[in-house]
Amino acid sequence: MQRLRRTTNAAGSARQWLAAAVAVIAAGAVAGCAVGPDFHRPAPPSVDSYTSEPLDSTVSTPGHGGAAQRFVTGDQIQADWWRLFHSTQLNGLIKNALAQNPSLQAAQARLEQAQANLDVVQGGLYPQLDVGVSATRQKFSGAQFGGGLGGATIFNLYGASLNASYDLDVFGGTRRSIEAQAAQVDFQSYELRATYLTLLGNVVGTAINAASFKAQFNATQAILEAEQRQLNLVEDQEQAGAVPRSDVLQARAQLAASRTRLAPLRQQLAQAQHQLAILTGTFPGNWNPVDLVLEDLSLPQTLPLVVPSQLVRRRPDILAAEAALHAASANVGVATANLYPHISLSGSYGSQATDAGDLFNAGNTIWNIGVSLLQPLFHGGALHAQKRAAVAAYKEALANYRQTVLTAFGQVADVLRALETDAASLKAQQIALDSAQKSLDLAQVQYRAGAASFLTVLTAIQQYQQSQLGYVQALAQRYQDTARLFNALGGGWWNRDALPPAAQPDNPVQLQNSEEQ
């Protein structure tokens, strides 16, 4: 009885010593420093405007889509900026794309993966506890204990134990690893937003392209009808002997040349519709073409401009580059911590018995506790090389961040100048179209009266055709660049509580053994 009491006291002392050791060393680890640089966000660039000459507004042109656009610095960008075009069809395309686009689904999955990996790394801050249960039947000879030719012994051995281990983060290697992985979560989060904005821009841009090709196709068909009427007129005049045969041949050649423009436009329209199908997660064979007309779009007349110093806090690609820089900074700390001692604590408490019923008797208690220290001495310079590589990776990430910022500012400057040019180009195209229309009408009247040659009519037809297509292209480009501005400024995602979740794939792979451990 007295021996049992001593054994119990010894086990209790061991457990108390183990608990106290874990508490003391864990507290020391938490209070320990984390080696390596502490990350600081890069300061915003000190610039006042995106272009050398500030823009207030664009010129206006009579007609649909010709209103002047005014730039308002510091105005908020609404998250659903595409609704400013007031197109029900465009809104429907965006809704389907956000729900079904595979690229957006993949970006969401990458974010979930990064978040799960962060949970994995964070587990390194806590003690690892495992329960072990064993049952063996074994035979050994007394000879291995110096028993000579002693007989063999067969017995059963049962065991149950609780094992604990704890890696002390004295120099912050684990904490820096967590910091790096948390930055990766930020990176994937901003990459998701960048994918979201890219998808919006692609859908809007492709839809406008489809509308432009449709408008050019319709304009070309209208010109063909006019040229066919002109040909009929010339043929009638030729039969009456009023015009030479050459005029008929020229009219037929002009009509044939105009017809050749239909096939490329039909192909471009089909490609735009196929691209819309892909963007919305639909097979082109199952796609119902969207009949979007340029005249159904409204041109936003007030365009917001993010303050230049705030653009680095709005563009997802810049924020993603900043997160990558943060991760690279933390990895320098990880590589630095690898140069210092690694300290770990381990222990176990359990029972062993030759009979399962005696497992938890006091006399069968077993336990152990230990502390280990591993100090790197010689690794052929590998550890120092790893730190130099981490520092070089940080320098690369910093250069990439600066390049991303420069590129972003360049994109905003480009699209601002493009909007200014688009408005002027549309106005010039409108003037050219009006002049070409008047010139064509006059040439046809003079030709009927015999005061002008048919070559004059052909020249007027060609000029009108080019002006008509040029006007449609200029109008579509104005819508395109307006959408590009919203995307270049960050798309207003910060004014949305959360991104709309994309639907899961129709037939997801069923994973086996998916129970959480």
Side-chain angles (χ1 to χ4, degrees):
M1 188 67 180
Q2 186 177 4
R3 183 178 61 181
L4 178 60
R5 186 179 297 110
R6 288 198 300 268
T7 304
T8 303
N9 292 338
S13 299
R15 289 194 297 269
Q16 294 174 359
W17 192 91
L18 176 60
V22 170
V24 171
I25 300 180
V30 172
C33 64
V35 296
D38 292 327
F39 180 73
H40 299 283
R41 300 186 72 176
S46 56
V47 294
D48 298 327
S49 63
Y50 296 104
T51 58
S52 57
E53 298 177 0
L55 299 176
D56 294 326
S57 62
T58 64
V59 299
S60 62
T61 301
H64 180 79
Q69 292 179 304
R70 184 171 59 92
F71 301 99
V72 181
T73 302
D75 199 6
Q76 289 294 321
I77 301 176
Q78 64 183 66
D80 53 350
W81 54 265
W82 61 89
R83 295 186 180 275
L84 296 174
F85 291 100
H86 299 294
S87 171
T88 303
Q89 291 177 314
L90 183 59
N91 296 342
L93 287 171
I94 294 294
K95 180 180 178 181
N96 292 336
L98 294 180
Q100 301 171 175
N101 182 264
S103 296
L104 190 60
Q105 295 171 0
Q108 287 181 328
R110 287 192 294 270
L111 175 58
E112 294 171 3
Q113 180 183 5
Q115 291 171 333
N117 288 334
L118 176 59
D119 293 338
V120 172
V121 179
Q122 286 177 331
L125 283 179
Y126 304 97
Q128 308 299 304
L129 300 177
D130 298 287
V131 174
V133 179
S134 64
T136 60
R137 181 173 178 81
Q138 59 187 27
K139 174 182 178 180
F140 75 92
S141 171
Q144 63 181 325
F145 300 107
L149 299 177
T153 301
I154 299 176
F155 65 95
N156 297 328
L157 182 63
Y158 301 91
S161 63
L162 176 65
N163 305 308
S165 63
Y166 184 63
D167 291 331
L168 304 182
D169 192 29
V170 177
F171 298 100
T174 301
R175 280 169 286 165
R176 290 300 189 191
S177 296
I178 294 173
E179 181 185 353
Q181 187 57 44
Q184 283 296 324
V185 173
D186 292 338
F187 176 83
Q188 292 300 341
S189 176
Y190 294 127
E191 283 288 286
L192 172 59
R193 285 167 170 79
T195 302
Y196 168 80
L197 292 183
T198 299
L199 176 61
L200 293 178
N202 287 340
V203 172
V204 174
T206 305
I208 293 174
N209 276 339
S212 174
F213 296 141
K214 180 68 177 296
Q216 293 178 58
F217 186 87
N218 292 339
T220 302
Q221 280 190 321
I223 292 172
L224 286 173
E225 294 174 359
E227 290 179 348
Q228 182 64 58
R229 291 192 297 269
Q230 184 69 34
L231 174 61
N232 295 337
L233 174 63
V234 173
E235 288 176 340
D236 292 342
Q237 290 179 330
E238 190 240 351
Q239 290 179 358
V243 297
R245 178 67 177 171
S246 59
D247 286 1
V248 175
L249 296 178
Q250 288 178 334
R252 288 177 179 174
Q254 175 63 35
L255 180 61
S258 297
R259 282 175 177 164
T260 61
R261 296 185 175 92
L262 285 179
L265 288 173
R266 185 182 290 110
Q267 179 183 1
Q268 290 173 316
L269 177 59
Q271 289 176 339
Q273 293 288 354
H274 297 164
Q275 184 63 25
L276 284 175
I278 295 171
L279 290 171
T280 56
T282 306
F283 288 99
N286 298 334
W287 176 250
N288 294 321
V290 177
D291 189 17
L292 181 64
V293 181
L294 279 179
E295 284 71 17
D296 293 340
L297 297 174
S298 298
L299 184 72
Q301 298 180 23
T302 300
L303 299 179
L305 277 182
V306 174
V307 177
S309 61
Q310 287 297 315
L311 186 67
V312 295
R313 304 290 184 256
R314 296 292 184 254
R315 291 261 306 211
D317 56 343
I318 297 178
L319 293 170
E322 181 183 298
L325 179 64
H326 189 177
S329 173
N331 286 331
V332 174
V334 173
T336 304
N338 289 337
L339 300 172
Y340 291 90
H342 179 78
I343 304 173
S344 62
L345 176 68
S346 63
S348 67
Y349 180 84
S351 177
Q352 279 187 339
T354 56
D355 191 298
D358 297 333
L359 256 183
F360 299 102
N361 290 345
N364 294 328
T365 299
I366 60 172
W367 59 268
N368 68 74
I369 187 170
V371 177
S372 66
L373 183 148
L374 179 65
Q375 169 62 57
L377 292 180
F378 179 75
H379 289 260
L383 298 181
H384 288 281
Q386 289 174 356
K387 181 181 177 180
R388 293 196 303 271
V391 172
Y394 175 81
K395 293 179 180 178
E396 177 189 9
L398 180 59
N400 289 337
Y401 173 82
R402 292 171 176 169
Q403 184 60 52
T404 302
V405 173
L406 287 172
T407 301
F409 274 74
Q411 289 175 349
V412 176
D414 287 345
V415 74
L416 287 176
R417 287 303 180 194
L419 286 170
E420 182 183 35
T421 303
D422 292 342
S425 176
L426 182 65
K427 186 171 185 176
Q429 289 290 349
Q430 180 65 64
I431 296 174
L433 180 60
D434 292 340
S435 299
Q437 179 69 66
K438 294 176 181 178
S439 177
L440 177 59
D441 294 341
L442 179 61
Q444 289 175 334
V445 171
Q446 291 177 337
Y447 178 74
R448 293 189 187 98
S453 67
F454 189 69
L455 180 60
T456 302
V457 176
L458 287 181
T459 302
I461 290 175
Q462 293 172 351
Q463 290 177 343
Y464 176 76
Q465 185 181 52
Q466 293 174 355
S467 299
Q468 181 77 5
L469 297 180
Y471 177 81
V472 172
Q473 293 169 354
L475 179 61
Q477 189 63 49
R478 199 173 190 199
Y479 285 115
Q480 288 276 19
D481 288 332
T482 299
R484 284 178 54 208
L485 177 64
F486 286 105
N487 252 15
L489 295 175
W493 61 266
W494 56 91
N495 289 323
R496 182 187 293 274
D497 294 335
L499 297 183
Q504 297 301 315
D506 293 335
N507 297 305
V509 177
Q510 299 298 322
L511 301 179
Q512 298 180 352
N513 300 326
S514 59
E515 296 182 359
E516 294 185 358
Q517 300 295 323

